[in-house]
Amino acid sequence: MGLKGAFARHVSQKRRGLIASGLVALIFFIVVTSATLFLISHQRLQYQNQLKTRTEKLTLNYLDHLKNMMQEIMPLTSKPCAANLSNLTYRAAFTNGVRTFLLVKDGIAYCSSATGDMRLAVNHLYPEIDWQKPLDMQLQQGTPLVPDKPVIALWLRQSGQTQETNTGVLATLDLSLAPYLLMTSQNNDAPGLAIVVGGKAATTFSQNLIPKTQLPKNHAHVLEIPRYPLAIIFYSQHLTANDIRLTLLGSLVLSLMFGVLCYFALMLSHSPERAMMRGIKRGDFFVEYQPVFHTDNASLAGVEALLRWQHPTEGRISPDLFIPYAENEGMIVPITRHLFSLIVADLPQLMQALPRGSKLGLNLSPSHLSSPTFHDDVSQFLAKLPDNYFTLVFEITERGMVEEENAQAKFDWLHRQHIEIAIDDFGTGHSALIYLQRFPLDYLKIDRGFVNTIGQDTATVPVLDAIITLAKKLNMLTVAEGVETAEQVNFLRERDVNLMQGYYFSKPLSSTELVEFCRTNTAVDRQT
Ligand code: C2E
Ligand code: CA
Ligand code: CA
């Protein structure tokens, strides 16, 4: 897997994260919007029902009280107006909402609490009232005295009369919708109220009475008042345009925030660091050991430990990919500590495969050298290794030495711990020679890029020769890596390169394979 591939993956992961977060945000938006709108509409409905119950109770109380009052007035219809007037006026004045009481005898209104004596046929005054009924009501635009204010007329017929004689009491009530408006105007965009009596309706949205047939049908909640020919209609939407606008806006803001949070959470959980930490916990990592041989007698000198990551879904991830990631993301310390612990776990097989004194090469990232925990990490690792069994060789690339200020002190400390140092991938970095001169290095590992060209590219031969000579002059041992052919082996042997490793001898092996390899392969096999 190339680095290019890794970046492509990273980008596509970002895109997948964006799509996933977008989807989550969309679902969140739909759920929040529907839940909020449902709650609002549910609350409205509850409020509507409460309002209806309250209004019914209030109206019934009022009308029943009025009816009782009219029953009390009823006996007055047998007396002349003059005898009744003060009583009538008093009762009208102290009955809430009543404009006038009229005494009616044989269909003629003959006494008014407001104007006293009169003589008018009631069916002329209130033509829509059914005078035969024990109780009836009519809505009217006004009365002769107050013509512009709508009134409700309530007729109460004297019981036990013959059909023809319409005797009873008529009350005219002021109709003011202001208190209802106050009650209904709390939450709704355009609330309304209509009081319907017979074929007419008084409404909060028209100055004049309108025919019942012209009443709007939408969002109407009808309350029929029991025992009275009266209905009250409430107009209110459970969900107004404003509710929907505000809910959409609120949900949109919330969903955006949620989506962004999801995206970061997803990215964090998919980040290479997280993936690596999970890989460590899951036990994805293991170590392969590549045997290293003495060139002169082809005997086994030791092994180089190479970290492997077997991801459960991504498959094998190359160290060329995850090591630079770990270095960049500050993960190299936990990764190297894990490498140490994996090697410790492999010790039984390693000791079975390798004789005492074998080299155990480990690749150390230069950034780990500068970590404050470096000494402790190495000391703890050393403490877990068997005494004087392996000679540790830390392979460090020249690239990192540039940044390491205290490299000299670190190398001295390593030497005091009997750890040898190899400069890895020699020849691939910049200004490498200065390090050879400055630092006490034990091995020089000739990069497999040079070894590859042996027998193919004659131009590199002088460079390779120069590197080998230089190493010898500086008393360093040379290791050739990536040796794949017999021709390369012969070339390197002729030039007295000290150690060799590569597919020609063996690929990197698991600890159990290494045991098997060391048991079956002898130096004699390899020399031929
Ligand atoms: P390196 O230190 O130069 O390791 C040698 C690489 O060459 C290994 O690749 C090995 O598998 C490969 N190799 C060995 N013999 C041959 C051969 O004959 N032909 C070819 N074509 N290749 C051969 P690998 O394991 O993929 O490691 C790549 C690099 O990753 C290593 O280069 C090293 O720089 C780094 N690395 C591996 N393990 C670790 C580790 O535990 N810690 C650190 N810091 N770096 C590691
Ligand atoms: Ca190496
Ligand atoms: Ca190399």
Side-chain angles (χ1 to χ4, degrees):
M1 197 191 315
L3 217 57
K4 230 171 137 189
F7 283 121
R9 277 176 102 81
H10 192 66
V11 170
S12 78
Q13 209 160 52
K14 273 192 167 175
R15 197 176 305 132
R16 275 208 299 269
L18 261 176
I19 294 170
S21 319
L23 272 177
V24 169
L26 184 71
I27 293 168
F28 184 82
F29 175 77
I30 293 170
V31 170
V32 170
T33 310
S34 339
T36 312
L37 291 180
F38 172 78
L39 276 176
I40 293 177
S41 117
H42 182 72
Q43 261 189 346
R44 284 276 158 73
L45 194 72
Q46 265 187 336
Y47 173 74
Q48 267 307 323
N49 289 338
Q50 279 173 5
L51 186 71
K52 265 174 141 181
T53 321
R54 272 206 314 265
T55 311
E56 181 180 325
K57 215 168 136 192
L58 269 169
T59 314
L60 267 178
N61 270 350
Y62 176 75
L63 289 175
D64 287 348
H65 173 75
L66 184 67
K67 201 174 133 191
N68 287 342
M69 170 71 70
M70 288 164 80
Q71 288 291 7
E72 284 172 24
I73 295 172
M74 196 63 81
L76 303 185
T77 52
S78 60
K79 295 179 191 162
C81 188
N84 297 332
L85 192 58
S86 61
N87 189 349
L88 206 61
T89 312
Y90 173 82
R91 284 179 188 262
F94 287 95
T95 310
N96 193 17
V98 170
R99 193 181 290 181
T100 50
F101 281 128
L102 295 184
L103 297 180
V104 180
K105 184 125 182 117
D106 297 331
I108 304 292
Y110 74 96
C111 189
S112 157
S113 62
T115 54
D117 260 330
M118 62 185 295
R119 207 165 169 74
L120 265 175
V122 277
N123 52 6
H124 177 70
L125 266 178
Y126 295 102
E128 285 158 34
I129 285 190
D130 185 347
W131 306 98
Q132 299 294 316
K133 284 188 180 166
L135 185 147
D136 201 16
M137 291 171 92
Q138 190 200 322
L139 252 178
Q140 186 142 306
Q141 187 57 50
T143 50
L145 279 182
V146 193
D148 54 340
K149 275 198 170 170
V151 288
I152 294 180
L154 176 69
W155 162 243
L156 194 67
R157 186 183 158 91
Q158 195 174 46
S159 56
Q161 306 171 46
T162 53
Q163 286 273 306
E164 302 78 50
T165 54
N166 294 328
T167 297
V169 179
L170 190 91
T172 53
L173 313 172
D174 274 322
L175 186 62
S176 164
L177 294 175
Y180 297 98
L181 262 178
L182 281 178
M183 278 164 82
T184 50
S185 65
Q186 279 181 2
N187 296 316
N188 301 320
D189 266 2
L193 187 87
I195 294 184
V196 187
V197 179
K200 285 191 200 138
T203 64
T204 50
F205 38 83
S206 167
Q207 290 277 325
N208 298 323
L209 300 183
I210 57 168
K212 187 182 168 185
T213 47
Q214 281 180 16
L215 281 173
K217 301 274 182 294
N218 286 343
H219 313 297
H221 310 278
V222 183
L223 166 67
E224 304 267 5
I225 306 293
R227 304 195 304 276
Y228 294 89
L230 172 74
I232 299 173
I233 305 178
F234 298 97
Y235 290 98
S236 78
Q237 281 167 272
H238 290 165
L239 282 178
T240 64
N242 229 0
D243 293 334
I244 297 174
R245 265 198 300 272
L246 279 176
T247 307
L248 284 178
L249 193 73
S251 307
L252 196 72
V253 171
L254 269 179
S255 312
L256 277 176
M257 279 160 54
F258 190 69
V260 170
L261 265 178
C262 273
Y263 178 73
F264 281 115
L266 257 171
M267 282 299 100
L268 212 65
S269 74
H270 278 124
S271 65
E273 308 102 274
R274 279 292 181 100
M276 257 181 234
M277 285 316 283
R278 272 204 299 268
I280 290 178
K281 283 206 185 108
R282 217 172 23 222
D284 290 354
F285 288 90
F286 63 97
V287 183
E288 281 187 338
Y289 302 89
Q290 187 173 38
V292 180
F293 299 92
H294 290 288
T295 309
D296 50 5
N297 59 7
S299 65
L300 188 65
V303 289
E304 177 183 357
L306 295 158
L307 194 57
R308 298 286 174 253
W309 184 1
Q310 185 67 39
H311 193 278
T313 52
E314 307 288 320
R316 182 72 74 93
I317 301 174
S318 162
D320 277 330
L321 199 63
F322 71 79
I323 294 290
Y325 254 134
E327 282 174 350
N328 289 338
E329 305 296 331
M331 294 278 300
I332 198 66
V333 175
I335 285 281
T336 313
R337 280 189 198 145
H338 191 51
L339 170 80
F340 289 163
S341 71
L342 291 170
I343 291 174
V344 169
D346 284 342
L347 277 174
Q349 288 95 316
L350 291 179
M351 288 166 76
Q352 197 183 339
L354 304 166
R356 186 178 283 273
S358 296
K359 312 268 180 211
L360 179 55
L362 274 80
N363 294 284
L364 276 217
S365 283
S367 52
H368 195 177
L369 280 187
S370 39
S371 150
T373 64
F374 179 71
H375 281 202
D376 284 349
D377 292 337
V378 175
S379 303
Q380 279 171 25
F381 176 50
L382 286 177
K384 287 177 189 145
L385 293 179
D387 283 341
N388 306 320
Y389 196 99
F390 296 109
T391 304
L392 286 187
V393 182
F394 281 0
E395 301 186 8
I396 303 163
T397 54
E398 52 185 302
R399 160 172 54 90
M401 295 180 194
V402 188
E403 294 138 28
E404 184 43 54
E405 280 176 17
N406 301 322
Q408 179 74 55
K410 294 265 162 71
F411 290 159
D412 289 346
W413 181 80
L414 288 174
H415 277 146
R416 286 201 298 279
Q417 314 306 311
H418 308 291
I419 296 172
E420 296 179 322
I421 303 155
I423 183 161
D424 206 354
D425 295 346
F426 187 81
T428 58
H430 313 280
S431 49
L433 296 177
I434 189 86
Y435 304 111
L436 298 189
Q437 186 191 328
R438 189 182 295 168
F439 303 125
L441 305 167
D442 305 288
Y443 298 91
L444 185 151
K445 288 196 87 167
I446 304 163
D447 191 70
R448 68 170 184 270
F450 289 107
V451 179
N452 259 338
T453 57
I454 295 171
Q456 291 173 15
D457 180 4
T458 44
T460 51
V461 172
V463 181
L464 198 51
D465 280 339
I467 291 174
I468 296 164
T469 316
L470 185 69
K472 286 204 176 114
K473 288 238 164 92
L474 291 166
N475 285 327
M476 293 170 75
L477 294 175
T478 43
V479 188
E481 61 175 29
V483 180
E484 292 181 352
T485 63
E487 189 185 0
Q488 289 165 353
V489 174
N490 291 331
F491 179 98
L492 296 163
R493 190 174 279 152
E494 275 167 25
R495 281 159 179 80
D496 288 334
V497 166
N498 305 91
L499 299 151
M500 283 194 258
Q501 72 182 101
Y503 295 167
Y504 178 76
F505 303 99
S506 169
K507 293 203 163 193
L509 305 168
S510 72
S511 56
T512 37
E513 285 169 343
L514 181 71
V515 173
E516 187 57 19
F517 177 86
C518 293
R519 200 175 57 80
T520 52
N521 283 261
T522 62
V524 181
D525 294 337
R526 287 183 297 272
Q527 258 179 335
T528 52

